[in-house]
Amino acid sequence: VNGDIAGRGNQVTEAFWLVYHLEIQAAAAGGKVHYLAGNHEQMLLSGDNRFLNEKYTQSARLMGITIQEMYGKNSVLGDWLRNRPAMVKIDDYLFVHAGISPEYLGRELTDEKTNKLFYNYILGSKRPARQLSNTISFLNGENGPIWYRGYFVEGQVDGSTIDSMLKYFDVQRIIVGHTSLRRVTAMHRARIIAVDSNIKEGIDGEILLIEGDKYFRGTQSGEKIPL
């Protein structure tokens, strides 16, 4: 799941619990569920409630607490959310919420180091040392992995840069969400696959299915359409 369950619709908590329990069930069955942090998870945990449904603002008010306290570190979901990775490598794929920018490549960051910085300083509450503050600002900024939109802007990223990104992480494809399209879409000669299919409007919504070396769009009606 490429992030951004938070901040959309009036069943955010229910969706969190669904993924939370699926994660446990998958582990018991020998599988794995990966839920990535998106910018809306970061916003929720940091107190930025601009896109949060009014239901949660009202709930917090009735309980006499803030939304940050409702999803605080001492709550089950709050602690779980603070331990979500920003990116995950699986086989030949890199899964990340928004994308990898060209600026990321020159910072000597790895997926593991990036996730640790997210756990501690972006989703967590630790204050970074001065020498880390620039890196944290970058990771949580417009060119960081939970905000970047360059793949979708014509002329911003060329083929050789994408090749450098893939080589840097030793993967064949990068799977991203964050930027909404009408359907799951293969981009940049299928080296980037965008999976945010605009379910936030309650109209569309698809999933990416990978079976061996074949890729499909899974639709709400149950269709499996070659990508």
Side-chain angles (χ1 to χ4, degrees):
V1 183
N2 274 59
D4 274 5
I5 284 179
R8 301 293 185 186
N10 63 0
Q11 291 184 302
V12 170
T13 303
E14 292 91 332
F16 280 151
W17 280 122
L18 173 62
V19 179
Y20 180 90
H21 287 296
L22 285 174
E23 189 176 73
I24 296 170
Q25 291 168 8
K32 184 80 173 178
V33 168
H34 299 274
Y35 180 59
L36 304 182
N39 61 299
H40 282 276
E41 280 71 36
Q42 184 275 332
M43 293 167 72
L44 176 68
L45 297 178
S46 67
D48 184 343
N49 305 318
R50 285 175 293 165
F51 298 99
L52 197 62
N53 189 277
E54 178 64 19
K55 167 185 174 179
Y56 301 97
T57 306
Q58 293 176 352
S59 296
R61 189 182 303 122
L62 287 170
M63 290 187 286
I65 59 176
T66 65
I67 291 172
Q68 274 183 289
E69 289 172 318
M70 191 160 65
Y71 290 100
K73 184 170 177 55
N74 291 330
S75 69
V76 173
L77 285 179
D79 181 65
W80 179 74
L81 285 171
R82 285 168 173 81
N83 286 281
R84 296 306 91 201
M87 57 183 72
V88 171
K89 276 179 62 175
I90 303 174
D91 298 328
D92 290 332
Y93 304 95
L94 178 71
F95 294 83
V96 58
H97 174 65
I100 300 298
S101 67
E103 292 80 5
Y104 181 99
L105 302 183
R107 290 181 169 265
E108 298 183 352
L109 290 164
T110 65
D111 51 322
E112 290 184 0
K113 184 175 181 180
T114 297
N115 287 336
K116 286 180 180 178
L117 292 171
F118 265 82
Y119 299 147
N120 290 323
Y121 305 112
I122 296 176
L123 303 177
S125 57
K126 290 184 179 179
R127 180 171 294 181
R130 183 175 298 178
Q131 63 266 30
L132 277 179
S133 59
N134 181 267
T135 300
I136 299 304
S137 295
F138 166 77
L139 289 174
N140 200 27
E142 64 180 4
N143 289 317
I146 63 172
W147 290 98
Y148 182 62
R149 295 191 193 272
Y151 304 143
F152 306 87
V153 179
E154 186 175 356
Q156 192 164 121
V157 181
D158 60 23
S160 63
T161 303
I162 292 177
D163 286 340
S164 296
M165 293 174 183
L166 298 176
K167 184 178 180 180
Y168 186 86
F169 287 99
D170 190 25
V171 295
Q172 296 297 314
R173 287 176 175 79
I174 300 175
I175 315 295
V176 302
H178 189 54
T179 299
S180 295
L181 304 174
R182 286 297 175 190
R183 57 182 57 88
V184 171
T185 304
M187 308 172 62
H188 301 284
R189 291 176 25 219
R191 291 170 296 175
I192 307 293
I193 300 180
V195 298
D196 186 332
S197 48
N198 210 31
I199 198 171
K200 65 188 179 187
E201 292 183 359
I203 301 171
D204 301 302
E206 297 183 346
I207 61 173
L208 171 66
L209 299 170
I210 303 173
E211 298 180 359
D213 60 353
K214 296 180 180 179
Y215 302 84
F216 302 91
R217 293 164 40 216
T219 71
Q220 291 190 25
S221 62
E223 293 177 284
K224 194 167 77 169
I225 303 169
L227 186 61

